[in-house]
Amino acid sequence: MQLIHSGAEMRAWSRAARARGERIGFVPTMGHLHEGHLSLVRIAAQHAARIVVSIFVNPTQFAPGEDLDRYPRDEEADLAKCRAEGVDAVFLPPVDEMYPAGSQTFVIVEQLSQGLCGATRPTHFRGVATVVSLLFHLVEPDSAVFGEKDYQQLKVIQRLVRDQAFPVEIVPGPLVREPDGVAMSSRNAYLGVEEREQATVLHRSLFWARDQVAAGRPAGPDLAGEVRAHIEESPLADVDYVSLVDDDELTPVVAATHRPTRLAVAVHFGKTRLLDNVRLAPAGG
Ligand code: AMP
């Protein structure tokens, strides 16, 4: 497994692979890898002969006061996991390789970045779109896998690729959960014991809504309101949003519908902000 730190070396590695006729699959991450990330690596392997994983804690997607400095890092363990999955190259650029002094260019996906997480993190998706654009220029992948855990991010990246004509196929990866149902996240490492227990309310209430809709109830604001009330019964849960949105455009659903929708939540447990989401659709839809 090749460890690559410079952008020029990364691009040369990819071009050499492509010259041999090998397709390149890419999984961008911020490290502290878990089964959710590794599931994306396995999906990437179904689409390409060579797999590149990047590990880069991207400063531009953190606002001042967020957890950039304490974001969990464990490079040794991450590399061991990548090796075990048969990853071909890990790209670990230092910050000044991605953002040389004087960097001032950002990529902005407008509307899709504004609702949901964008409402409280107004510069977050600008940072995500910028770093993914940079990574695509350096890795030059044929396909890249993004998790549905970060559903808004997936939609932003799909639009970025379409609007900017990146020759990259974006492959969604299903959300992977812990055995008790909590969505896997590097940030789960921050949770105290009680917070971790109460975090199960997120998937339990989302699954309840999913079952209601599968059984024939239309998805609408009242359903989202019931989910919110259920989450708020957990004393440690501090809701950022519980939003029912169009599955593609992420626009708010304002009237009951039988069309597929996405119910997405962001909830603080102590200092830790957790995300979860489910697709709502009638059975068979
Ligand atoms: P991160 O390291 O948090 O930036 O995540 C890197 C990639 O892994 C993103 O595409 C995430 O959506 C994806 N990911 C993170 N957690 C999960 C999960 N529990 N299930 C599926 N994909 C995930």
Side-chain angles (χ1 to χ4, degrees):
M1 187 174 77
Q2 196 87 20
L3 303 191
I4 299 176
H5 295 92
S6 92
E9 199 192 328
M10 184 68 248
R11 188 178 272 147
W13 186 94
S14 287
R15 290 189 176 181
R18 187 161 302 98
R20 293 192 297 269
E22 297 164 351
R23 284 175 61 84
I24 296 161
F26 180 40
V27 180
T29 81
M30 298 207 298
H32 205 259
L33 302 181
H34 52 64
E35 270 300 311
H37 297 111
L38 302 181
S39 73
L40 306 187
V41 171
R42 290 169 205 141
I43 292 169
Q46 295 167 5
H47 290 257
R50 295 282 165 220
I51 306 302
V52 179
V53 170
S54 64
I55 298 176
F56 180 64
V57 181
N58 172 37
T60 63
Q61 69 190 69
F62 292 79
E66 291 186 349
D67 58 344
L68 173 62
D69 296 334
R70 63 186 187 109
Y71 195 83
R73 294 164 206 246
D74 191 347
E75 194 175 305
E76 288 287 295
D78 289 348
L79 295 178
K81 288 173 188 168
C82 288
R83 231 173 248 120
E85 290 297 329
V87 168
D88 296 285
V90 181
F91 183 39
L92 305 135
V95 171
D96 61 2
E97 184 73 20
M98 298 296 280
Y99 301 109
S103 282
Q104 51 187 289
T105 304
F106 290 98
V107 179
I108 300 174
V109 179
E110 298 257 350
Q111 280 93 333
L112 282 170
S113 298
Q114 286 167 9
L116 302 175
C117 290
T120 49
R121 306 185 75 193
T123 58
H124 173 67
F125 291 108
R126 179 185 82 163
V128 169
T130 301
V131 80
V132 169
S133 169
L134 269 167
L135 288 166
F136 283 180
H137 285 306
L138 298 174
V139 176
E140 298 185 343
D142 296 286
S143 56
V145 191
F146 288 83
E148 291 195 348
K149 148 83 174 14
D150 302 283
Y151 192 71
Q152 187 176 14
Q153 170 172 283
L154 169 66
K155 291 287 138 188
V156 165
I157 299 304
Q158 286 174 329
R159 195 62 61 98
L160 163 73
V161 161
R162 194 200 73 174
D163 291 354
Q164 287 291 298
F166 278 95
V168 183
E169 181 194 1
I170 301 303
V171 181
L175 197 166
V176 176
R177 298 180 179 279
E178 300 283 357
D180 67 356
V182 170
M184 284 194 180
S185 166
S186 305
R187 289 190 168 101
N188 290 352
Y190 299 149
L191 294 170
V193 175
E194 279 202 31
E195 291 167 346
R196 179 67 184 71
E197 274 170 19
Q198 292 192 20
T200 61
V201 72
L202 301 186
H203 77 273
R204 285 188 282 110
S205 48
L206 290 175
F207 287 4
W208 170 81
R210 188 183 63 185
D211 294 345
Q212 291 275 305
V213 170
R217 178 173 171 179
D222 58 331
L223 185 67
E226 286 176 53
V227 167
R228 185 185 181 108
H230 186 215
I231 293 172
E232 284 175 338
E233 282 168 20
S234 278
L236 298 178
D238 177 12
V239 172
D240 177 355
Y241 64 78
V242 174
S243 296
L244 183 68
V245 295
D246 180 85
D247 205 34
D248 280 322
E249 296 297 329
L250 305 184
T251 44
V253 172
V254 293
T257 176
H258 286 288
R259 284 165 37 91
T261 56
R262 190 64 57 163
L263 186 55
V265 302
V267 178
H268 287 272
F269 289 85
K271 285 194 162 80
T272 311
R273 186 168 173 278
L274 299 183
L275 303 182
D276 204 337
N277 71 84
V278 289
R279 183 173 186 269
L280 303 183

